[in-house]
Amino acid sequence: VPSLNDVPLHYLKPNSLVKFRCMVQDMFDPEFYMGVYETVDPNTKARVLHFGKYRDIAECGPQQEVDLNSNQSVTLERQTLYCVPVPGDPLLNSPSNTHARASQARVSPSTSYMPCRHKRSFEEDEDMDMQPHKQKEQLPGSSVCSTLQASGESKRLERMAPSGQQRPSPLDLNFPLPGEKGPACLVKVYENWDCFKVNDILEVYGILSVDPALSVMNEERDCSFSLVDPMTCVDTAEEQRVHSPPASLVPRLHTLLVHRLEHSNPLLPVREEEAKNFAASFASELPVVRAELLGFLTHVLLGDSLAAEYLILHLISSVYARRDVMPLGKFTLNLSGCPHNSNYTEHVYRIIQQLVPSSYRLCMTLHNMNSLRFVPQKDYAANRLVSGVLQLGRNTSLFVDETVLEQGQLDTTGVQNITALGNLITWQKVDYDFNYHRMEFPCNINVLITSEGRSLLPSDFQVPLQPQTVPLNTDEYLTNLQAALPPSLLNKFRIYLTLLKTMEYHISDEVTKAVEDDFVEMRKDDPQSISAEDFHRMLVVARLLSLSVGQATLSWERWLRAKQLEVLRTSRTEQQKCVNGNEP
């Protein structure tokens, strides 16, 4: 099945089966459509019954008309989801990735479908949308007689403005991250739409609808159009523009099958039974792959094996439950001691980007803090949710680069953005702005902070970087290191990191009792030596250490190893405080 993520839209056959891996960016109001309708020939009076499911356009012969008063007509309901490619997906947004180049360039059509007619290029499609009279000239004898949709599709504002008037701005596809590419899509769901919510990651199989007649009819439509109830024509012009974009820019996808994904890694099966079998077959390789990954990340972190251990734990962490408002399982890591005024952190991000399904590097420059929209905001004029940088899918890796900090003044927007970022890290939630109130949206985002000193943002674990090797040319060293990684091993790393996020974990009663006794023993001599927070951090490290070698339960050996790692980390942090003197 061809994918909208990989194949350019103008090489996909209209009304064909396609798939689309995406995130739900917004949910529009349900819409009514003609599930069953009847056409009549005015000359012969012959009547034909049609089904309107999986269609946007009611089709009939050249001499036929839709009988709106037929007692055979059935009105049904469907839900429209506004979906965008998964934010931060390297397959779409990495310029070095062959898949990205294929989706953005004009490639040759696949052998599975050779267009039988000339397809317009994207720019030509855009030009045709801006000049609908050209479309009308190219649609002589069209058999389309009406749209099926009774609300939502309405007059577009993409037409050329009359002379002397300003033309409307280009359509904003509302991607959460700046610079994102790929198709946005209006996904029409016919059943069980209550189980979907904003920010869900979906894999959709459905019928592609890009009929040029959609643009023509949207252009001509007004409240007197025969299929639209005049009482429903209360949409603002901006709402019409956003909810009824040109099909050449935002195609419609009528769902046949939808998978709600826990991850967006295409290397792992989607179906639950297949995923279990795959995990069982890969289990024997976990310790070996972990050792390989630890060695690779140790080289990336310039010989610092302790930082590499914590980076692995960070990359496999995930929020697995919530106790009241506290998210359990989060592992925000602060790698401090990173060099300033170098490309080191950018190289580290590029490597992590290749390991995880979705990621984003947020440079904390003064300009970004004061100008970017972090929190999604409701636009009531257009009746849509305007996306923000923090509207991310489940298990996205957010790489916050503090090494680019500079002197200057944060304005109101900057302060709000820093607050939102802090709330995301601490509570794993983002408060979306609905103007009159704020609504909490829980999230599950892995945050990695690189900084010179201790981060200005909160974190669960700080690891000061202590390089053991200093290459003469760090850029060249890291570039060669990444290039030398075999693709087969890279794919194993990707599978390893995704698979461990979904593994179940528990602690037996015996080990629980032994760990509790050990905590009491540690506090016996000096109650101040270890706090409840320190104990919780050790438990988090122990859990992830066990999972990292494929063990679903905690062993005493893993508990002792977790204590050892925490002692090494805290002693290094204390040394760093003594060196800097002014760190909190």
Side-chain angles (χ1 to χ4, degrees), residues 296-488:
F296 175 69
L297 293 179
T298 299
H299 287 300
V300 171
L301 298 175
L302 307 179
D304 190 341
S305 59
L306 180 64
E309 286 272 10
Y310 275 87
L311 183 54
I312 288 179
L313 302 185
H314 162 78
L315 291 173
I316 66 173
S317 66
S318 181
V319 175
Y320 61 88
R322 292 180 185 266
R323 185 169 298 161
D324 296 328
V325 295
M326 181 62 66
L328 303 180
K330 73 185 183 75
F331 196 102
T332 300
L333 178 62
N334 173 208
L335 283 179
S336 60
C338 295
H340 184 55
N341 292 330
S342 77
N343 295 325
Y344 177 71
T345 54
E346 182 178 353
H347 279 289
V348 172
Y349 169 69
R350 294 300 175 197
I351 289 170
I352 290 176
Q353 185 185 37
Q354 293 298 309
L355 297 176
V356 298
S358 54
S359 61
Y360 178 63
R361 181 185 179 215
L362 176 60
C363 295
M364 289 188 65
T365 62
L366 197 64
H367 174 75
N368 283 346
M369 292 299 101
N370 288 338
S371 62
L372 290 178
R373 180 191 292 109
F374 277 26
V375 175
Q377 184 177 22
K378 181 70 174 181
D379 180 354
Y380 286 96
N383 192 20
R384 73 165 175 174
L385 184 66
V386 180
S387 62
V389 169
L390 298 185
Q391 187 178 10
L392 301 171
R394 178 183 175 88
N395 288 323
T396 298
S397 287
L398 181 60
F399 188 98
V400 181
D401 193 349
E402 277 190 22
T403 63
V404 295
L405 276 173
E406 54 201 352
Q407 289 185 346
Q409 183 74 34
L410 285 175
D411 59 19
T412 304
T413 300
V415 172
Q416 291 173 348
N417 284 340
I418 293 291
T419 302
L421 199 52
N423 287 336
L424 166 67
I425 292 169
T426 305
W427 308 111
Q428 284 292 308
K429 70 180 181 70
V430 180
D431 295 328
Y432 288 19
D433 185 3
F434 283 78
N435 294 349
Y436 307 107
H437 67 284
R438 290 184 175 268
M439 185 179 295
E440 288 185 5
F441 280 73
C443 56
N444 188 355
I445 296 172
N446 293 48
V447 183
L448 173 63
I449 308 168
T450 55
S451 59
E452 286 185 89
R454 184 183 178 89
S455 173
L456 303 174
L457 296 165
S459 64
D460 300 310
F461 297 88
Q462 181 198 0
V463 181
L465 198 60
Q466 288 188 355
Q468 304 300 307
T469 58
V470 183
L472 293 176
N473 187 323
T474 305
D475 290 356
E476 184 180 345
Y477 170 78
L478 292 174
T479 300
N480 293 338
L481 182 66
Q482 188 174 356
L485 186 64
S488 59

Side-chain angles (χ1 to χ4, degrees), residues 173-205:
L173 295 182
N174 210 14
F175 293 131
L177 300 178
E180 292 273 273
K181 299 182 184 298
C185 210
L186 288 178
V187 175
K188 312 282 187 175
V189 183
Y190 290 85
E191 55 189 22
N192 300 326
W193 57 71
D194 291 341
C195 65
F196 303 121
K197 58 183 184 296
V198 170
N199 302 335
D200 278 351
I201 305 296
L202 307 178
E203 185 170 66
V204 181
Y205 290 80

Side-chain angles (χ1 to χ4, degrees), residues 48-122:
V48 180
L49 207 59
H50 302 265
F51 293 95
K53 200 173 183 181
Y54 309 124
R55 290 181 176 275
D56 290 297
I57 303 296
E59 294 186 325
C60 51
Q63 303 301 322
Q64 291 181 321
E65 299 175 354
V66 174
D67 183 2
L68 297 178
N69 298 316
S70 171
N71 57 8
Q72 301 289 332
S73 298
V74 179
T75 301
L76 298 176
E77 189 179 17
R78 62 191 177 195
Q79 175 70 57
T80 302
L81 310 178
Y82 186 82
C83 295
V84 297
V86 179
D89 187 340
L91 292 182
L92 292 173
N93 302 300
S94 173
S96 62
N97 193 287
T98 55
H99 290 279
R101 291 199 301 270
S103 66
Q104 294 167 25
R106 286 186 176 82
V107 297
S108 299
S110 67
T111 55
S112 61
Y113 167 59
M114 182 64 69
C116 59
R117 60 188 176 85
H118 173 67
K119 292 277 187 176
R120 295 190 304 270
S121 69
F122 180 84

Side-chain angles (χ1 to χ4, degrees), residues 270-278:
V270 171
R271 294 180 181 177
E272 186 175 352
E273 198 61 38
E274 292 178 358
K276 286 181 179 178
N277 294 335
F278 182 87

Side-chain angles (χ1 to χ4, degrees), residues 7 23 52 71 166 171 189 221 268 308 326 349 361 378 431 434 505 510 535 544 548 559 563:
V7 183
M23 185 188 81
N71 57 8
Q166 186 176 2
L171 183 70
V189 183
R221 186 179 237 172
L268 273 70
M326 181 62 66
Y349 169 69
R361 181 185 179 215
K378 181 70 174 181
D431 295 328
F434 283 78
Y505 173 83
E510 295 81 6
F535 181 59
L544 294 172
S548 71
W559 170 248
K563 286 173 56 179

